[in-house]
Amino acid sequence: MENITMKDAYGNDFVLTSDDFTLVQSDVNIHDTKLETKPTTFVKDAFRRFCKNKSSIVGAIIILIIVLLAIFVPVFNTYDVKNSHPSETLVMPKLFKSGTGFWDGTKEFKRIDYNALSEYNQKAILKMKVYEENGVKLVDFVYDDYEAHYGEVERSFDWLFIERYINNGWCEFSDRTNPATFKLLDNKCPVREVLSIGDDGKPVVILSQYRYLGYKSAPSFLFGTNEQGRDIFKLAFSGLLKSLFFAMVIAAICFIFGLIWGAISGYFGGNVDLFMERFTDILGGVPMIIVVTLCRLHLGDSLLVFGFALCLTGWMGTAGRTRTQFYRFKGREYVLASRTLGASDTRLIFRHILPNALGTIVTSTVLMIPSLIFTEASLSYLGLGLQGGDSFGTILSDNQKFLKSYPMLIVFPSIVISLLMISFNLFGNGLRDALNPSLKGSD
């Protein structure tokens, strides 16, 4: 190669020789270097990103705990919630020992006429303050609801009542005129002692109320009982299980239909997209309450009809997101290359476009589950949802009249459903950021 004389940017001459064109690595074998990082997959990478989001982890743990409670509380809690329990209506919630002053199964009475105290179980009165107002003797006191419902009380019964337990071998009463001859043989016997024989010939006994109701020990209701005497704790989680199952089925149906509708609309575009979008706009303009009401009036009041009413408009959110994602990806180079190579529309949709858009779509479907639970609860609370069942909405609807006198009947189920809604949103946001990092921080 001949030497070449050239000028630089400043007008100075310089000479290029053949040595200037010699490869620096001409005597070195060039090959691919080994990757220092371990190979991974999309799922592993998404899981790693999800674990970095602490709030999403907390939300996932809370969801898991609530779902496990919904599954196992109805199984292991043997309290009957199918039938009414007239003797156990509106029992206060209890977590701590009676008398601690918080969540202890007690309730406070104020400005009660002192002469009316005989109507209350004296053993259940924990604290009492007596005062006069306008010449009337009044009393404020704290009442142990569990002692009143399940403690020992003095009652008068006929002989048939005691004979039932004598025949069971739980007690014996050799001389019916002498209370001292009563003998307790089995601890299951509700009659603990015979005090006297009344003027009417009936025995006056000390009755253990929880044994009389069939309990082995005095019960304790974490959320209290409702107007029918049913345990709110078991009722809430058995209702949650039904609501979760119902919401998951509806979400799956809406997801599949919305995915197909949005894929067709976004992929083909043009007049097809125009027609499908206008139909969606018209259907979406009808309020949910109107849709549910019309379905109930013309198709009847059943679980199937209510689910159908939710499905009529529930798929549109998924369809809209799917359509947006298809418009985003269908013009990419790899899609055009596949179309050039003769790929069919079906292959382009399900093998090239949909897998890339699935992260955002799946995330929206996860968030659809708590939304459906909340919608069902709201409609049932208004009397338009599931009637005669134990879903969250029906529980809240049945107890709304006690909002002022017994607010725990509304507060405790509301806390559970609120906690579930918040946790699902935290979990869904973390799932969105993990599956599609480009959307991190967006609403």
Side-chain angles (χ1 to χ4, degrees), residues 285-393:
V286 183
M288 172 64 71
I289 293 180
I290 303 297
V291 174
V292 174
T293 304
L294 289 175
C295 288
R296 289 189 61 188
L297 288 175
H298 294 282
L299 301 177
D301 184 10
S302 66
L303 177 64
L304 188 62
V305 171
F306 183 65
F308 174 73
L310 294 180
C311 288
L312 279 178
T313 56
W315 56 270
M316 290 189 295
T318 302
R321 292 183 183 90
T322 305
R323 173 180 176 271
T324 302
Q325 294 302 310
F326 267 73
Y327 267 106
R328 177 186 178 188
F329 290 106
K330 74 177 184 178
R332 297 292 175 90
E333 291 80 2
Y334 62 88
V335 177
L336 297 177
S338 299
R339 182 181 286 111
T340 303
L341 293 173
S344 63
D345 291 335
T346 303
R347 183 178 179 84
L348 290 173
I349 291 174
F350 292 104
R351 292 296 300 273
H352 297 285
I353 302 177
L354 187 58
N356 291 283
L358 206 56
T360 304
I361 301 170
V362 169
T363 302
S364 65
T365 305
V366 172
L367 297 176
M368 189 190 301
I369 296 175
S371 177
L372 284 169
I373 293 176
F374 187 76
T375 301
E376 181 274 323
S378 301
L379 293 175
S380 297
Y381 184 80
L382 297 174
L384 297 174
L386 300 174
Q387 301 300 316
D390 296 329
S391 66
F392 262 106

Side-chain angles (χ1 to χ4, degrees), residues 168-183:
N168 290 341
W170 292 355
C171 61
E172 62 180 24
F173 202 179
S174 55
D175 186 359
R176 296 189 176 186
T177 61
N178 183 7
T181 60
F182 174 83
K183 186 176 181 181

Side-chain angles (χ1 to χ4, degrees), residues 51-299:
C51 291
K52 292 180 180 179
N53 193 327
K54 303 302 180 184
S55 61
S56 300
I57 293 294
V58 173
I61 292 174
I62 294 176
I63 291 173
L64 179 62
I65 293 174
I66 292 178
V67 171
L68 289 176
L69 286 173
I71 294 173
F72 292 110
V73 166
V75 175
F76 292 102
N77 189 327
T78 57
Y79 192 81
D80 177 28
V81 293
K82 294 183 179 179
N83 301 310
S84 299
H85 304 268
S87 336
E88 303 173 82
T89 58
L90 300 174
V91 179
M92 299 298 291
K94 183 176 182 179
L95 178 61
F96 303 105
K97 184 179 179 180
S98 299
T100 55
F102 174 73
W103 208 341
D104 58 350
T106 62
K107 51 186 174 183
E108 189 174 355
F109 289 89
K110 291 183 177 294
R111 302 174 60 84
I112 302 298
D113 190 344
Y114 183 81
N115 297 323
L117 280 180
S118 58
E119 301 176 4
Y120 298 89
N121 186 344
Q122 300 299 313
K123 294 181 180 180
I125 298 178
L126 300 181
K127 300 176 183 178
M128 184 169 60
K129 178 183 177 182
V130 182
Y131 59 95
E132 287 191 8
E133 186 176 304
N134 298 326
V136 180
K137 196 173 185 181
L138 301 176
V139 61
D140 296 342
F141 61 92
V142 176
Y143 197 64
D144 187 351
D145 219 20
Y146 284 80
E147 179 63 30
H149 280 87
Y150 305 107
E152 295 183 350
V153 293
E154 183 179 321
R155 293 281 179 85
S156 175
F157 291 100
D158 55 28
W159 286 105
L160 291 175
F161 177 78
I162 296 182
E163 285 178 356
R164 180 173 56 180
Y165 302 113
I166 294 176
N167 295 333
N168 290 341
W170 292 355
C171 61
E172 62 180 24
F173 202 179
S174 55
D175 186 359
R176 296 189 176 186
T177 61
N178 183 7
T181 60
F182 174 83
K183 186 176 181 181
L184 185 65
L185 301 178
D186 195 314
N187 196 42
K188 294 186 292 185
C189 183
V191 180
R192 312 306 291 176
E193 183 183 355
V194 177
L195 298 176
S196 62
I197 306 299
D199 296 336
D200 55 359
K202 296 180 179 180
V204 178
V205 304
I206 297 295
L207 179 72
S208 173
Q209 295 184 92
Y210 76 82
R211 290 184 175 90
Y212 175 66
L213 293 172
Y215 296 105
K216 294 181 180 179
S217 59
S220 179
F221 301 107
L222 187 63
F223 292 172
T225 63
N226 63 4
E227 187 181 16
Q228 290 80 34
R230 298 169 181 168
D231 182 10
I232 292 293
F233 181 70
K234 181 176 181 179
L235 199 63
F237 282 105
S238 61
L240 175 61
L241 184 61
K242 296 177 183 177
S243 296
L244 273 173
F245 179 76
F246 179 77
M248 290 176 67
V249 172
I250 299 301
I253 296 173
C254 292
F255 172 75
I256 294 172
F257 187 79
L259 193 68
I260 296 173
W261 185 279
I264 295 173
S265 176
Y267 179 78
F268 291 102
N271 292 330
V272 174
D273 180 42
L274 182 64
F275 171 77
M276 297 177 75
E277 280 300 294
R278 296 296 76 77
F279 177 81
T280 303
D281 292 340
I282 295 171
L283 188 60
V286 183
M288 172 64 71
I289 293 180
I290 303 297
V291 174
V292 174
T293 304
L294 289 175
C295 288
R296 289 189 61 188
L297 288 175
H298 294 282
L299 301 177

